[in-house]
Amino acid sequence: MIQGIGASAGIAIGRAFVLPNWEWELPEQKIDVADFAREFERVYEGIRTSKSEIEQIKDELKDVVGSEETHIFDAHLAILDDPVFMNEIQGIIQRQYKAAEVAVKEAIDHFVTMFDLLDDEYMKERALDIKDVGNRLLKHLLGAPEITLPSDTQPFILIAKELSPSQLAHINPDHVLGIVTLAGSTTSHSAIMARALGVPLVVGIENSLDEPIQTGQIMVIDGSDGSLYIDPAEAIIEAYTDRHRQQTEAKRRLHVIVDHHAVTPDGKRLELAANISSLKELEIALSSGAQGVGLFRTEFLYMDRNRFPLEEEQFEVYRSVAERLGGEHLVIRTLDVGGDKQLDYFELPEEDNPFLGYRAIRISLDQKDLFKTQLRAILRASHYGQVRLMYPLISSVEEVRAANAVLEEARRELEAEGIPYDKGIKIGVMIEVPAAVVIADMLAEEVDFFSIGTNDLVQFTLAVDRMNEEIAHLYDPYHPALLRMLKLTVDAAKRCGITVGVCGELAGDVRALPLWLSLDVDELSMSSHSILQVKERLLRTSQQESRQACEKLFHCRTSGEILGLLQEFSAKTGVKEG
Ligand code: PEP
Ligand code: MG
């Protein structure tokens, strides 16, 4: 047995598919004058193969998405035909005696930098096209295999060094039984997405592996405790198949309460909403009985492509989600990239502390055109459902006002254009930075609602990087400092009469439920797979008793004591842990 870290619960049994690495290894030796003609011919051959591959992709895509969406590939074909691109490559081969693949790589870098420097969105997009098509050409010159997931084989367990959220966004849960990554942590966005998709995930096995896993090996993984078996004995497979069956049965039993109201025995109603990042996840949320969406992480919409999504494209997605929710609320959070969420086409600066750096609302306020495009799309969608708007990573009143000023511009534009939107749209902020907690009373006067993002709030309060496996044991959501942060925030919201919800992972942790009831939060928004478990607990937990039990919580000095008290209370009310 190999011990990793369980990052998304569930058992998976199946064959491994190992994702190859993406990095290019370029030859270092210089070539001879006598080799020039051969290297030119290699480039021409690479271009021919790339072009026929692009034509094929265009053809296949046309049937799926219509010919509109394939225009990007025409741009790729045009680059491959462009004499300036070819001249640059030939020049590097002849002047610097470099091999074809090195010359191609340097030519790509040259044009990408040149176009990137121009202050023109159109030219920046061209830079992306060059990067994309250049990588395709490089792939052929190097004879590297196409990196795609098989879709025609049996579903498999995906093995990767690490998986970025954008790679995960392309994964079809019907084909992937489970995922194992050599690196990774439980609070990374990839882990959050795997939980939302209900795909078992084990991370951090790098140091426990003696030999690399091979495609085709039989694997058993358990995403609850992080255990993993490679080519195990029949008895192990049988035991896990049995457990898998029991878990499916338990889930089925929980499903009985899917349509029940989420209300405590003494009548406290709590909205149990879902965190989603795509339309795919919305369907899972709805079948798990979510009452609306308390957090739509829109950045995944930006990851699923090779350029910024247009206003129209965003509007279509937001409107579809709003309509599909049929009157239930939808909180759309504006772009929250940076940290572990990167966009291939938007070069973020190299930073020593990316989680403390150029990200989220800071990027939006710096790139106002991008921000306004998103705000217009959200406002337009608000006409079609119960849409609310939320800003991430707020740390000052100025930021809220600056964001609202751009919002105001967007509103004025729509009005001038006669485009309808909800004039009473509610505006909220995420409380996920300690500064925001400390000035929560001031922020509460600027907005309509708070949503507490415990993932980042724990990270920043305790100064513990949520991605760092080395210090994962210090990432402690039950730390007394966090409890005080939560209380300060909720009290400030209540005093000002605005609503307050929680949308970090702690919202879906059943152990914390008495705490939320005692604080009297209005909403818990969580990964869909937690909703029924939390609801089941809620149906049996009185708010009055939670209040009494939790009084002592705020005097505890260690998280051990806090968890002990919560557990004691659960046991007293006849609730079994786990
Ligand atoms: C949070 O920080 O708690 C949160 C919900 O946002 P994210 O996990 O997307 O950073
Ligand atoms: Mg956050």
Side-chain angles (χ1 to χ4, degrees), residues 189 295 297 333 336 341 359 392-393 430 432 453-457 459-460 466 503:
H189 282 91
L295 169 64
R297 289 184 166 100
R333 178 176 76 180
D336 184 8
K341 289 178 285 192
R359 55 171 291 206
L393 207 81
M430 290 210 51
E432 50 184 347
T454 54
N455 305 338
D456 276 318
L457 191 57
Q459 154 166 274
F460 296 132
R466 67 194 258 193
C503 67

Side-chain angles (χ1 to χ4, degrees), residues 398-415:
E398 289 99 309
E399 277 170 344
V400 181
R401 291 184 180 161
N404 279 341
V406 184
L407 180 67
E408 194 47 44
E409 265 179 48
R411 283 182 197 251
R412 274 203 301 268
E413 284 178 9
L414 293 182
E415 251 151 65

Side-chain angles (χ1 to χ4, degrees), residues 160-363:
K161 182 151 179 31
E162 22 185 24
L163 268 190
S164 68
S166 62
Q167 283 174 304
L168 243 172
H170 288 104
I171 279 178
N172 179 349
D174 291 341
H175 294 147
V176 179
L177 298 166
I179 303 173
V180 176
T181 62
L182 304 193
S185 71
T186 59
T187 45
S188 71
H189 282 91
S190 301
I192 291 173
M193 275 181 82
R195 288 195 284 275
L197 293 170
V199 178
L201 169 68
V202 173
V203 300
I205 57 160
E206 196 147 34
N207 297 331
S208 350
L209 264 191
D210 294 333
E211 288 175 16
I213 301 171
Q214 307 288 338
T215 292
Q217 284 184 306
I218 303 251
M219 315 242 333
V220 171
I221 68 169
D222 186 346
S224 334
D225 63 7
S227 54
L228 177 155
Y229 299 83
I230 303 170
D231 285 334
E234 202 48 44
I236 301 271
I237 298 183
E238 272 170 27
Y240 274 90
T241 309
D242 223 38
R243 259 169 63 187
H244 185 44
R245 204 175 303 122
Q246 283 168 17
Q247 286 180 0
T248 314
E249 177 56 20
K251 255 196 216 157
R252 201 189 54 73
R253 275 202 304 271
L254 262 186
H255 219 74
V256 175
I257 56 168
V258 72
D259 294 323
H260 285 33
H261 292 303
V263 55
T264 66
D266 52 347
K268 159 75 182 171
R269 259 185 115 98
L270 197 51
E271 303 263 358
L272 300 184
N275 296 346
I276 63 162
S277 48
S278 63
L279 277 167
K280 195 156 62 184
E281 288 182 20
L282 175 65
E283 292 311 315
I284 302 176
L286 290 173
S287 61
S288 310
Q291 297 165 276
V293 165
L295 169 64
F296 183 8
R297 289 184 166 100
T298 57
E299 44 280 4
F300 293 92
L301 193 67
Y302 288 68
M303 288 175 181
D304 211 8
R305 58 192 68 231
N306 54 12
R307 54 165 173 76
F308 283 105
L310 306 172
E311 175 183 321
E312 208 55 33
E313 291 167 326
Q314 294 190 53
F315 164 63
E316 283 303 330
V317 175
Y318 303 151
R319 189 187 65 174
S320 305
V321 177
E323 285 182 339
R324 183 78 182 86
L325 279 167
E328 297 275 18
H329 69 289
L330 163 65
V331 180
I332 304 182
R333 178 176 76 180
T334 61
L335 185 63
D336 184 8
V337 279
D340 64 332
K341 289 178 285 192
Q342 301 286 324
L343 303 177
D344 294 344
Y345 51 87
F346 184 50
E347 199 85 24
L348 291 170
E350 279 283 323
E351 293 177 307
D352 285 341
N353 293 302
F355 275 98
L356 301 182
Y358 188 61
R359 55 171 291 206
I361 194 70
R362 299 168 187 178
I363 296 181

